[in-house]
Amino acid sequence: MIRIGIVGYGNLGKSCQKLVEKTEDMKLVGIFSRREIKKDGFYKIENIEKFKDDIDVLILCGSSDKDIRVQAPLLIKNFNTVDSFDTHKNIPSYEEKMGKIAEENDKIAIISTGWDPGLFSIIRTYSEAILEEGKTYTFWGKGISQGHYAAVRNIEGIKDASQYTIPKEEFIKKIKNGENSEFSPEAAHIREVFAVAEEGYDKKELEEKIKSIPNYFDKYHTIVHFISQEELNKNHKGMPHGGKVIRVGQSPNQNQSTIELSLSLENNPDFTAAVNIAYARAAYNLKKENKKGAFTVIDIAPKYLLKETRQELIKKFI
């Protein structure tokens, strides 16, 4: 049995808890939170080191901007970790930092799992390897991004919020038609925020703070709506998401080829949790081979993600 610990008990932490409890080769040792949760199996994060000999892999379920980047470098000293750090431009420096600490402490850190970064990273890699001449396009949504709405809710004066990423369909049509389009993620998407403001705060100022959040909103066309908590609860508390990666390229004879992966997710945290669970198993399997250091999804062979032996996987999938 792979002994699992969960750090953080928001939407992702709750989804990970449910899935670990249903996964036959895993056992949930404990859930660790800054909050005091008076239930069996819940512990304050300050006491986590007491469990370093009882946990094989920690799954970090906090936000990228506030939690993971602070907690992960500390936790990797005593635990093998898996996280969904999703600030793309900061992943190289984060990987370097985690790799150094993991190497020094003989630990495994699997970073930036999930679906983007994560599964989409893998398909971008394979697509470019196969179609060397071409362009790769990534679209997100329509859906609610956990990292984005967490960033909005961290603003003082914001009581609650949801955020939708919406791809511009005209970009997708042009790409599939083989039209050369000046593409950037910022130009190809709209961000739409539904927020509940605390009493006494200026909504114009809050809107400007939202639109200026770096890496999430500052370069995007962002629309902000202030609504009541009741309306937010009624209309914007689901957690759908999805997206697609499209690579359009030429085969050796200059024939056009298209590779596409599309995801449609009814519940974003549940799906992200499922990816984290698979990579927690990979961390455990890598550790059994005495590996150490930081790994991303492009470093890890698929065989490490599943319970079956290599020969069983060849028979089943190849």
Side-chain angles (χ1 to χ4, degrees):
M1 297 291 282
I2 305 171
R3 301 170 298 171
I4 299 291
I6 294 171
V7 176
Y9 200 57
N11 291 314
L12 181 56
K14 291 172 184 173
S15 291
C16 280
Q17 176 194 16
K18 291 176 186 175
L19 192 51
V20 170
E21 290 173 345
K22 291 167 56 178
T23 302
E24 62 184 23
D25 64 334
M26 293 185 178
K27 175 185 177 182
L28 182 59
V29 174
I31 298 169
F32 302 87
S33 175
R34 288 191 295 263
R35 294 177 286 149
E36 186 167 358
I37 302 172
K38 294 183 177 180
K39 295 180 183 177
D40 290 342
F42 288 81
Y43 307 95
K44 292 278 283 183
I45 188 72
E46 291 87 345
N47 300 320
I48 196 168
E49 281 190 33
K50 296 177 183 177
F51 293 82
K52 65 181 182 180
D53 296 325
D54 302 318
I55 292 172
D56 296 311
V57 183
L58 270 184
I59 302 175
L60 311 186
C61 297
S63 65
S64 296
D65 62 327
K66 294 289 185 182
D67 299 321
I68 293 174
R69 67 182 179 85
V70 175
Q71 294 172 343
L74 300 174
L75 294 169
I76 194 63
K77 294 177 181 178
N78 293 297
F79 300 92
N80 302 304
T81 64
V82 170
D83 69 55
S84 303
F85 185 82
D86 68 354
T87 309
H88 288 267
K89 77 168 192 174
N90 293 336
I91 289 173
S93 60
Y94 175 65
E95 187 275 338
E96 184 178 358
K97 182 176 184 177
M98 289 295 287
K100 184 173 184 294
I101 303 171
E103 288 270 358
E104 291 170 352
N105 292 277
D106 195 28
K107 299 297 179 188
I108 296 282
I110 300 181
I111 71 162
S112 300
T113 69
W115 57 275
D116 197 7
L119 297 187
F120 279 13
S121 310
I122 295 170
I123 205 69
R124 285 191 289 263
T125 304
Y126 281 133
S127 297
E128 189 159 330
I130 294 162
L131 295 177
E132 289 189 23
E133 292 184 40
K135 288 186 178 181
T136 302
Y137 306 90
T138 302
F139 295 91
W140 306 287
K142 179 181 180 181
I144 291 181
S145 168
Q146 296 174 89
H148 289 74
Y149 86 74
V152 174
R153 293 199 302 183
N154 283 330
I155 294 174
E156 182 181 344
I158 298 293
K159 183 179 179 181
D160 202 355
S162 288
Q163 182 271 334
Y164 296 89
T165 298
I166 306 167
K168 296 179 180 177
E169 289 298 326
E170 62 266 28
F171 272 86
I172 298 174
K173 288 178 182 177
K174 285 181 180 178
I175 288 162
K176 289 189 173 182
N177 288 336
E179 298 177 35
N180 287 324
S181 179
E182 286 301 319
F183 176 88
S184 71
E186 295 85 358
H189 296 84
I190 294 170
R191 308 282 200 202
E192 189 167 20
V193 178
F194 293 86
V196 180
E198 297 273 9
E199 286 188 24
Y201 284 85
D202 185 278
K203 292 178 180 177
K204 273 285 184 190
E205 289 183 9
L206 291 176
E207 180 176 346
E208 288 306 311
K209 286 182 179 180
I210 292 168
K211 290 181 175 180
S212 63
I213 297 175
N215 305 316
Y216 289 109
F217 299 102
D218 61 334
K219 295 179 181 178
Y220 287 83
H221 175 50
T222 301
I223 303 166
V224 179
H225 309 275
F226 287 99
I227 61 175
S228 68
Q229 186 70 61
E230 292 74 22
E231 185 177 347
L232 188 77
N233 291 344
K234 181 180 178 181
N235 298 323
H236 304 288
K237 279 298 186 181
M239 296 296 288
H241 214 330
K244 57 187 67 183
V245 175
I246 304 170
R247 183 163 180 83
V248 179
Q250 286 77 43
S251 62
N253 292 324
Q254 298 301 305
N255 297 310
Q256 181 172 302
S257 299
T258 301
I259 298 173
E260 179 176 345
L261 172 70
S262 180
L263 291 180
S264 179
L265 313 177
E266 189 172 314
N267 187 284
N268 187 11
D270 282 356
F271 188 84
T272 302
V275 181
N276 282 342
I277 297 302
Y279 280 95
R281 186 179 293 112
Y284 179 78
N285 289 330
L286 287 166
K287 193 62 192 166
K288 285 199 301 184
E289 295 182 359
N290 296 314
K291 299 288 199 305
K292 60 182 179 179
F295 298 82
T296 70
V297 295
I298 65 170
D299 299 309
I300 298 171
K303 68 176 183 177
Y304 290 102
L305 304 175
L306 293 114
K307 298 185 289 289
E308 293 93 337
T309 67
R310 178 175 175 273
Q311 287 306 121
E312 288 170 336
L313 294 174
I314 290 172
K315 185 177 180 181
K316 185 176 181 179
F317 293 122
I318 307 299

